[in-house]
Amino acid sequence: MKTASLPSLRVDPELRAAAESVLKEGESLSSLMEDSLRRQIDYRKTQAEFIARGLAGLAEAERTGVYYATDDIQELMRKKLEKAKARKAVQQK
């Protein structure tokens, strides 16, 4: 597959210097920018999916009239966490 290029990015000299100051050994400014872009894309997709699940949950609650109290959900999550920790402890033995 052919590669494509992105538009040039004009930034203040201070921002470029800050970016260059955090480069790891062997890392280029281009690779830092590509990694940052990939992470931001992943973040935005995850955020959009989270919002979609929340809105779907709201629609389901409105449709059914079934709502859950925060304390009930937190307790459910605590129990799930305890079970997961117990399974992990058994697996590590």
Side-chain angles (χ1 to χ4, degrees):
M1 174 165 63
K2 289 186 175 182
T3 60
S5 59
L6 292 171
S8 297
L9 180 63
R10 297 223 178 261
V11 297
D12 291 336
E14 294 85 15
L15 180 57
R16 181 183 174 117
E20 289 174 337
S21 74
V22 297
L23 292 176
K24 298 175 183 171
E25 189 168 333
E27 184 179 36
S28 67
L29 193 52
S30 293
S31 65
L32 173 66
M33 291 170 56
E34 181 181 353
D35 181 58
S36 298
L37 182 58
R38 287 181 190 280
R39 288 173 188 256
Q40 188 61 221
I41 290 167
D42 281 346
Y43 172 78
R44 289 183 183 199
K45 284 181 178 179
T46 301
Q47 186 179 41
E49 292 165 359
F50 175 80
I51 291 169
R53 286 192 310 272
L55 292 173
L58 174 61
E60 179 69 8
E62 289 172 341
R63 184 184 70 75
T64 63
V66 177
Y67 293 84
Y68 297 94
T70 303
D71 291 341
D72 295 339
I73 297 300
Q74 288 177 342
E75 182 61 27
L76 175 68
M77 297 304 291
R78 268 192 289 279
K79 287 178 180 177
K80 283 186 173 189
L81 179 59
E82 288 170 8
K83 285 181 182 178
K85 285 180 178 180
R87 277 194 308 272
K88 186 176 179 180
V90 168
Q91 290 173 351
Q92 289 178 345
K93 288 184 179 181

